[in-house]
Structures are given as C-alpha cells and as structure tokens.
Amino acid sequence: MSERDELAADVAEYGRYLGRLTQLGAPAIPSLAPKSVSVAAAAPQAAPAGSEDLEGIRAFIGDCQRCKLAKTRKNIVFGQGNPHAALMFVGEAPGADEDEQGLAFVGRAGQLLTDIIEKGLKLKRADVFIANVLKCRPPGNRNPEPDEIESCQPFLERQIAAIRPKVLVGLGKFAGQWLCKTAEPISRIRGKLADYDGIKVMPTYHPAYLLRNPAAKKEVWEDMKIVMEILRA
Ligand code: URA
C-alpha cells in the first residue's frame, strides 16, 4: 500500500469512527484529516443506492472544505437518528445551536420538531432520521446559496440512498424545493405528495416558520396525517 493510500485509509477509518460517535449522539469532533489531503480522493465520487452506510458517508465528507461555509462553521452537522428509519426529515441548514453541538435540530425549532414527532406522530425522535440540505451553518443564519447547496448535494443524496426511508418530509422552502426538484414556493408545494427516487416526499412548513406563525401548525398537522397513513400502510 502506498503512503497516500495508507493515509486515505486512516482518514476513512477516523471518519467512520466520528460517524459512529455522531450516530450515538456525541457532539461532533473535528476531523484530523490534514487540509492538504483530499478525502474525496479516498472515496468513490458516485455510489449506487444502498451500497454504503452512514459511517462511510461521514468519512466521505471528512473535514469538508468544499465550500466557503467551512471557514465560518464550528462543526459539520451530519444529521442523526435511526440509520434504518422509515421516516426521514430534511431541514435547511444548521443554526447557532446546531453548529455549536454538531447535531441537527437541537434549538427552539428543534424542540418544536420533537413535539411534531413525539406528540403528533407518536414516534420517538430516535426512531427517525434528521438531516439538513446544508451540513454547515450559513453565517448569521442567512439563506443557503446555490453554490453551497450544490457542494452539499452529494451528501444528502447518499444519506437518502443509504437510509431509503418510506417517507421523506421536507421542512421549509429549501428542503421542499430540493426534494421535489422544483422552484415553486413552499406555500404551493406543501401538503402535496411528490416523489424522490421512488420515495414519497411530503413538503411542509419549517418549524422555525411555525414559531413565527403558529396558525400554520394546522396545515402541518394535515400534512403529518398523510405521513402517518403512509407509515401505517
Ligand atoms: N433549522 C434547520 O433547518 N435545521 C436545523 O438543524 C436547525 C434549524
């Protein structure tokens, strides 16, 4: 094995270890991958659906420097939950709390998402998987930019291919549009089932929007009833 291959194998192994820790709920730990070594070079660029696990995807992400968010983030927020979940939520991007802890949806919006899952859907939060379109926090929680969404796209694609949930719930405009491959406003696409690679998609309002507009909870509840029907079928 060449020195380069040996180093790539070590980086991949460390990434798998980090992924395992993150799945177990540990706060994210910065990768030791040297900035000059391309982790992408150590992993295949495209993986067929279901051919890799979440630890491998975490290794593929490594200490990502692929977009400008790497300069301002504290932690990469990979997402967490059941790797075999029937239900997967996709949000927009980490906020301040998520960036601090390295975990998705742990702030105020996350508390509301927990209520939707546990009080509404009657599931345990640990039974679902929660991820975001972007794995790094945009400064000041600004909207994700197109180049950032494009850089992060392979990670979410691979996560979905590995988990293969029965239903994907897209939370808010960016996740809804990404999953439905549309530029239509969330107000127009929410509540209508769409398809992502053979998986049912329910776009709905983002919990942060619900914190500002509690009246919209009624519509999210309508959307969640459809999700429950699919999960029971
Ligand atoms: N908002 C999101 O879209 N994702 C998070 O993880 C937290 C807040």
Side-chain angles (χ1 to χ4, degrees):
M1 208 191 257
S2 73
E3 214 175 301
R4 180 193 163 88
D5 287 348
E6 240 173 68
L7 184 57
D10 286 346
V11 169
E13 176 65 29
Y14 187 67
R16 276 193 291 278
Y17 171 64
L18 288 185
R20 188 83 199 103
L21 283 181
T22 306
Q23 273 176 17
L24 292 171
I29 297 161
S31 166
L32 291 181
K35 304 255 189 298
S36 57
V37 172
S38 161
V39 176
Q45 287 301 309
S51 69
E52 63 184 345
D53 59 16
L54 294 176
E55 291 165 30
I57 300 163
R58 184 64 191 84
F60 173 69
I61 295 174
D63 182 30
C64 187
Q65 303 291 321
R66 295 165 179 84
C67 87
K68 57 189 179 297
L69 296 180
K71 294 198 170 55
T72 50
R73 70 152 188 255
K74 286 188 183 153
N75 284 298
I76 293 173
V77 178
F78 180 72
Q80 74 274 6
N82 184 342
H84 308 292
L87 176 58
M88 177 170 176
F89 288 88
V90 179
E92 179 178 315
D97 295 310
E98 291 76 19
D99 186 37
E100 200 64 54
Q101 297 183 42
L103 293 168
F105 279 99
V106 289
R108 274 184 76 220
Q111 184 52 55
L112 183 48
L113 179 60
T114 303
D115 286 349
I116 292 170
I117 295 166
E118 298 192 342
K119 296 186 185 153
L121 298 171
K122 309 276 184 233
L123 296 170
K124 292 198 186 84
R125 193 174 143 129
D127 290 341
V128 308
F129 199 90
I130 305 174
N132 283 303
V133 173
L134 295 190
K135 308 300 184 218
C136 295
R137 181 190 183 204
N141 299 345
R142 64 156 168 74
N143 284 344
E145 292 177 355
D147 61 312
E148 296 157 2
I149 296 175
E150 199 185 322
S151 295
C152 245
Q153 173 143 326
F155 311 150
L156 185 55
E157 283 173 353
R158 284 164 180 242
Q159 286 178 305
I160 296 171
I163 296 167
R164 291 293 304 174
K166 207 167 174 186
V167 196
L168 283 154
V169 173
L171 299 167
K173 169 184 162 173
F174 288 94
Q177 291 182 341
W178 190 92
L179 289 167
C180 299
K181 299 183 175 70
T182 180
E184 295 263 301
I186 185 69
S187 56
R188 197 150 331 140
I189 59 176
R190 72 136 278 278
K192 295 183 195 137
L193 280 176
D195 175 271
Y196 176 95
D197 195 23
I199 301 169
K200 291 193 168 59
V201 175
M202 174 56 81
T204 195
Y205 291 129
H206 194 286
Y209 174 78
L210 298 181
L211 290 172
R212 299 190 301 271
N213 302 278
K217 285 183 187 172
K218 196 172 142 286
E219 281 139 296
V220 172
W221 176 232
E222 293 305 316
D223 303 344
M224 292 307 106
K225 283 197 272 190
I226 297 171
V227 167
M228 279 196 286
E229 274 171 35
I230 299 167
L231 290 173
R232 284 199 197 111

